[in-house]
Amino acid sequence: MAQKTPLDYRNFIQSFGKTIYDPIEIGDADLWIPTLHLETLLNEGLRGKVLQDAQSRALPNRTRSKLVKIYACEALGYPVPKSFKKTQPRFVGQQFDTYAQKSMNLQIWNEELSPARRYAIIQVSEDDVVLRVRVVNGQELALLDTTGTITTKYQARLETRADTHELVSVRDTDPMLPHVRPEVFLESSASPIDEPESGALLPIGEIFDRLLPLVGQSFADPGMDQERNRGAALHSLICRCLGYGSYEDKGQFPDIRHQLLEVKLQTSPTIDLGLVLPSSKDHLDIRQLGNYQPRHCDTRYVMFYANTDGITVTLTHLFVTTGADFFTRFKRFEGKIANGKIQLPLPRNFFAQ
């Protein structure tokens, strides 16, 4: 199946005469813009725009916010409404809000982060020029939080046993079975961040077999405060074992989107799960497989437990499970607390990714 371009989605929205308030099913093959394509269209439409008045003065926040939404409508092929309704989110059909940022402190008022909600975060220079747009969902924002600001996160506990490797799920969830195929050969052009395709997904058991040789392997530890870089080193090893010619990561969920695979590196027993339970039956922000819209519980989870002395990370245990079976092996911590206002310091390299 040929991958649609960002322009294809823009043209479909125009030809169907959709407004930003018309609901669209997540994963709709023609009208739901995948997150990476949404980011591309917004960058093409907003980058370089000057958010000032006719006298070259900075705009009030409300006026600036409205202008950004106008540019977003034009970038995506939507007609600009006469006024923007106070809906949550403002772009109902594509499930996203816009946040124009001169600082790296993201503020979200009067609502919790939602795993399905997308957040278009717009970098604005000191002289009011749009520099870059990043689009992430609530789950990905929650995983960026290292301050404890976001308290709406789930956790579970990992307890190791005698076995160094456990295939928790002997097969994929029933709806996924028609879409997996043994001994998939990954073409050289395939990327870990591509949308998944029916017939191009490895069965969970084969994922387990391909990653098993990593148990006992080691790699350099970039430092105790470098969890993201440590995880990236593991992610790169996993991509190579699965058969990808290169490693890529856009910070999306799941990590290896092409295989519907989430990767976790554990150096402590506490597993951070973000805003959504692995067992959730909510739909993923991902392209449909045939006529099937994957759910969070269909996601395959690869977890490595590791020891580190601060210099070398050694992988000691491997666990592979579906989201549906996750809590048959790992104990969930009870409780979920909500914040009224969220202030999230974004990583310094957030817009560079």
Side-chain angles (χ1 to χ4, degrees):
M1 180 188 298
Q3 297 271 355
K4 288 188 175 69
T5 68
L7 186 58
D8 289 333
Y9 290 100
R10 186 181 190 278
N11 291 339
F12 275 123
I13 287 168
Q14 284 183 319
S15 63
F16 277 83
K18 293 290 184 180
T19 75
I20 64 172
Y21 305 111
D22 293 328
I24 294 172
E25 184 180 355
I26 293 175
D28 183 286
D30 294 328
L31 296 173
W32 176 262
I33 308 175
T35 296
L36 290 182
H37 287 343
L38 179 62
E39 183 175 284
T40 297
L41 287 171
L42 290 176
N43 270 296
E44 289 176 353
L46 273 72
R47 188 180 286 172
K49 296 291 189 185
V50 179
L51 306 179
Q52 294 179 342
D53 64 16
Q55 286 74 44
S56 299
R57 295 175 301 193
L59 297 170
N61 287 342
R62 288 174 64 87
T63 307
R64 182 178 72 178
S65 178
K66 180 180 179 180
L67 185 57
V68 162
K69 288 193 276 286
I70 290 171
Y71 289 145
C73 287
E74 294 170 346
L76 303 180
Y78 285 107
V80 177
K82 292 181 180 179
S83 62
F84 288 92
K85 303 175 185 177
K86 292 185 177 180
T87 56
Q88 287 190 345
R90 292 293 192 266
F91 288 77
V92 175
Q94 298 296 335
Q95 282 291 301
F96 80 93
D97 277 311
T98 55
Y99 296 85
Q101 297 286 130
K102 278 192 175 182
S103 75
M104 297 300 284
N105 184 41
L106 176 64
Q107 296 188 7
I108 299 173
W109 289 83
N110 302 321
E111 58 178 311
E112 295 183 32
L113 286 182
S114 166
R117 182 76 54 83
R118 301 191 283 187
Y119 300 81
I121 305 172
I122 301 157
Q123 184 183 29
V124 181
S125 71
E126 287 302 317
D127 52 354
D128 305 303
V129 178
V130 175
L131 300 176
R132 174 79 196 276
V133 183
R134 279 285 315 274
V135 180
V136 294
N137 64 34
Q139 171 79 335
E140 292 151 6
L141 271 184
L143 296 175
L144 289 175
D145 177 38
T146 59
T147 64
T149 301
I150 302 172
T151 56
T152 56
K153 291 196 273 192
Y154 291 111
Q155 293 181 323
R157 182 173 182 81
L158 188 159
E159 295 180 355
T160 58
R161 298 170 183 168
D163 289 339
T164 59
H165 47 279
E166 297 181 39
L167 179 58
V168 178
S169 303
V170 296
R171 67 175 197 168
D172 287 285
T173 56
D174 287 344
M176 287 288 290
L177 295 178
H179 306 290
V180 301
R181 184 164 60 86
E183 301 179 357
V184 166
F185 175 75
L186 296 173
E187 298 180 5
S188 59
S189 59
S191 165
I193 63 172
D194 285 345
E195 291 289 309
E197 295 184 39
S198 181
L201 290 160
L202 291 164
I204 195 168
E206 189 163 339
I207 290 173
F208 178 78
D209 291 340
R210 293 193 186 193
L211 299 184
L212 190 54
L214 290 178
V215 175
Q217 289 197 27
S218 301
F219 55 88
D221 191 335
M224 295 302 291
D225 61 344
Q226 298 291 317
E227 288 187 21
R228 288 181 61 81
N229 290 334
R230 195 187 295 148
L234 173 63
H235 193 163
S236 179
L237 289 174
I238 289 174
C239 286
R240 187 174 65 194
C241 286
L242 292 179
Y244 291 100
S246 62
Y247 157 68
E248 288 186 83
D249 180 17
K250 286 291 187 179
Q252 289 188 284
F253 178 90
D255 294 305
I256 301 179
R257 202 171 182 84
H258 192 240
Q259 291 298 319
L260 212 61
L261 188 66
E262 175 71 356
V263 174
K264 290 191 174 294
L265 174 61
Q266 296 294 135
T267 55
S268 76
T270 300
I271 308 168
D272 287 323
L273 298 172
L275 298 180
V276 64
L277 292 172
S279 55
S280 168
K281 294 183 180 180
D282 289 342
H283 288 156
L284 281 167
D285 168 19
I286 214 158
R287 192 172 69 179
Q288 291 177 344
L289 299 174
N291 294 321
Y292 178 65
Q293 183 60 45
R295 306 162 299 172
H296 282 275
C297 60
D298 299 316
T299 302
R300 289 84 71 81
Y301 285 77
V302 166
M303 285 195 296
F304 279 94
Y305 196 82
N307 293 325
T308 180
D309 58 7
I311 299 173
T312 302
V313 177
T314 302
L315 305 174
T316 61
H317 295 76
L318 167 65
F319 308 89
V320 179
T321 180
T322 63
D325 293 336
F326 192 93
F327 293 115
T328 66
R329 174 59 177 85
F330 309 106
K331 181 178 175 58
R332 174 187 163 188
F333 291 163
E334 297 299 327
K336 186 185 180 192
I337 306 167
N339 262 346
K341 172 189 174 183
I342 296 169
Q343 295 192 75
L344 176 61
L346 298 172
R348 284 180 296 177
N349 66 342
F350 179 76
F351 289 104
Q353 298 181 39

